[in-house]
Amino acid sequence: MYDRALASLPGGNTRTTVFMKPYPIYAARGEGCRVWDLDENEYIDCINNFTSLIHGHAHPALLEAAKRQLALGSAFGLPTESEIDLAELLASRLPAVDQVRFCNSGTEAVMMALKAARAFTGRSKIAKCEGAYHGSYDYAEVSLDPTPEAWGRNAPVSVAYARGTPDNVLADVITIPFNDAAAAVSLIREHGSELACVLVDPMPNRAGLVPADKAYLEALRSVTRDVGALLIFDEVITFRLGYRGAQGLWEIDPDLTTLGKIIGGGFPVGAVAGRKEFMAVFDPRHGKPALPHGGTFSANPVTMRAGLAAMELLDDAAFSRLDAMGNEVRTGIDEAFRQNGVPGRTVGLGSLLKVHFADRPIRDYRSAWLNEEETRRQAVFSRGLLNRGVLAAGYGLFALSTPMTDADVDAIITAASGALSEVAASL
Ligand code: PMP
């Protein structure tokens, strides 16, 4: 399959994130928390399409909602009731949200949130955290993966991610450190009068999946108010942490929130959400809005209906169960690290966890940076997991799903222990 793909797709690939050497395994089908590849190998899926499938694959309620809508039409050049239903549900869960604007991906949600902040404030610069991933918008991509040679001695510097990034994009992005309130506040104050917003993910996956200190987010909340910039929480992933997302757990109200992944019930989705006063930049009632926004498939009713079904299943009991499973897997893998005498541990919250092969405390992008030996251990672990029938992201991310049973949780821990014994044997 890969040989065939090489001719028609660059590198045989559509998503850099699913590339795997020597070649990827191809999914044939999925059901519940399981995936089968083209060779009929079975895996417990802990990738869940990079955290988006919180109910696993082909969940009957989501399938039914999507099928019912498909029979009525998959997209219209007209609004439908479905977008109002999902917007109302989201606004009812998030105290900081009055209104929602839908789009088709997290990338687009972040792009529209940054543009909304610019439109609202009339300012052009944004601040974001070093090492945090927010999708592919030029500005959001800055300083995603600076190597140690590029780390500034004191403050982080803005570094291009993609070749050809325009200099003016770099100049308009202030890179702040994650989880260092004093340094972040000082940079935000320094550029305050030009800043449209500060974009932060409360538990940034690529920067280590470490939960932000509450004091850090509170400091961002307070300084953004002082300088007149909007605070944007990117909850594309962290919305799966609880009924009110990360903002509910941390009890901090951002000005704008970006959503994606789980709110689409397995279909492409993104959303910008926030208070009426900020969301008014999208309002077309009085002529051209400050921020015009369309999108042929935005708020398509298949996504909206499946998303609504997915969200309705996520009540307090569902989140408690996901939290309990997450704690069990984290504790089990931590114990396996100790038993195998391998330095490392898990981090994360709720249904999300990440395995770190590091002896030091992980606080931010720089402390999460893997040295050569840690990278090697991570690769042995990843392959060991795969060979034991567990799919997790190559960089150690696990996302659990509601169809998992206690037996599945045990099987994940057993596979991780086996993979860690392989790492131990390789030391
Ligand atoms: N923000 C965050 C925090 C993400 O993790 C991602 C994707 N993993 C995005 C934005 C971009 O979302 P999408 O892949 O749907 O464009």
Side-chain angles (χ1 to χ4, degrees), residues 89 93 307-315:
L89 179 142
R93 291 191 180 201
L308 195 67
M311 294 310 298
E312 281 169 346
L313 289 169
L314 291 172
D315 53 12

Side-chain angles (χ1 to χ4, degrees), residues 225-383:
R225 286 210 172 103
D226 286 352
V227 302
L230 302 195
L231 179 63
I232 304 176
F233 273 13
D234 184 349
E235 293 228 36
V236 166
I237 288 187
T238 59
F239 197 48
R240 67 151 49 225
L241 291 181
Y243 193 80
R244 300 184 203 289
Q247 53 201 265
L249 291 181
W250 271 265
E251 296 175 307
I252 293 172
D253 286 349
D255 297 314
L256 291 173
T257 300
T258 54
L259 300 168
K261 306 213 189 232
I262 67 164
I263 68 160
F267 292 88
V269 76
V272 189
R275 288 242 175 281
K276 246 185 193 164
E277 133 190 49
F278 309 122
M279 296 300 289
V281 296
F282 293 107
D283 185 343
R285 282 177 299 177
H286 311 290
K288 182 183 160 191
L291 179 55
H293 167 246
T296 305
F297 292 100
S298 291
N300 76 81
V302 181
T303 293
M304 297 292 105
R305 286 288 170 222
L308 195 67
M311 294 310 298
E312 281 169 346
L313 289 169
L314 291 172
D315 53 12
D316 284 336
F319 281 113
S320 297
R321 164 106 185 106
L322 286 166
D323 288 353
M325 287 195 296
N327 285 335
E328 206 169 317
V329 176
R330 279 186 290 274
T331 310
I333 297 181
D334 285 345
E335 180 56 30
F337 266 108
R338 278 191 296 276
Q339 278 176 358
N340 285 290
V342 177
R345 65 186 187 95
T346 58
V347 297
L349 280 179
S351 57
L352 294 170
L353 63 122
K354 197 170 216 177
V355 171
H356 281 288
F357 286 88
D359 235 347
R360 57 192 173 273
I362 308 286
R363 291 266 310 145
D364 54 13
Y365 173 69
R366 295 184 185 189
S367 51
W369 178 267
L370 299 181
N371 63 33
E372 228 172 87
E373 173 58 16
E374 289 160 2
T375 307
R376 185 192 69 78
R377 293 178 192 184
Q378 181 98 66
V380 173
F381 177 73
S382 229
R383 193 46 56 108

Side-chain angles (χ1 to χ4, degrees), residues 15 17 49-52 104-110 132-136 140 199-206 234-238 258-261 268-270 395 397:
R15 301 160 70 185
T17 39
N49 197 21
F50 289 88
T51 78
S52 56
N104 293 293
S105 67
T107 287
E108 208 187 334
V110 169
Y133 182 65
H134 299 282
S136 308
L199 171 67
V200 65
D201 178 338
M203 192 168 83
N205 166 34
R206 299 267 193 107
D234 184 349
E235 293 228 36
V236 166
I237 288 187
T238 59
T258 54
L259 300 168
K261 306 213 189 232
V269 76
Y395 49 84
L397 175 73

Side-chain angles (χ1 to χ4, degrees), residues 51-105:
T51 78
S52 56
L53 306 177
I54 199 162
H55 300 301
H57 300 272
H59 188 288
L62 277 57
L63 207 57
E64 181 54 33
K67 277 198 317 202
R68 204 178 314 133
Q69 183 58 51
L70 278 168
L72 297 172
S74 61
F76 305 93
L78 298 169
T80 70
E81 187 178 4
S82 64
E83 69 201 62
I84 310 172
D85 289 342
L86 186 55
E88 285 175 351
L89 179 142
L90 295 170
S92 76
R93 291 191 180 201
L94 295 171
V97 167
D98 300 320
Q99 297 185 325
V100 182
R101 188 87 178 183
F102 291 106
C103 49
N104 293 293
S105 67

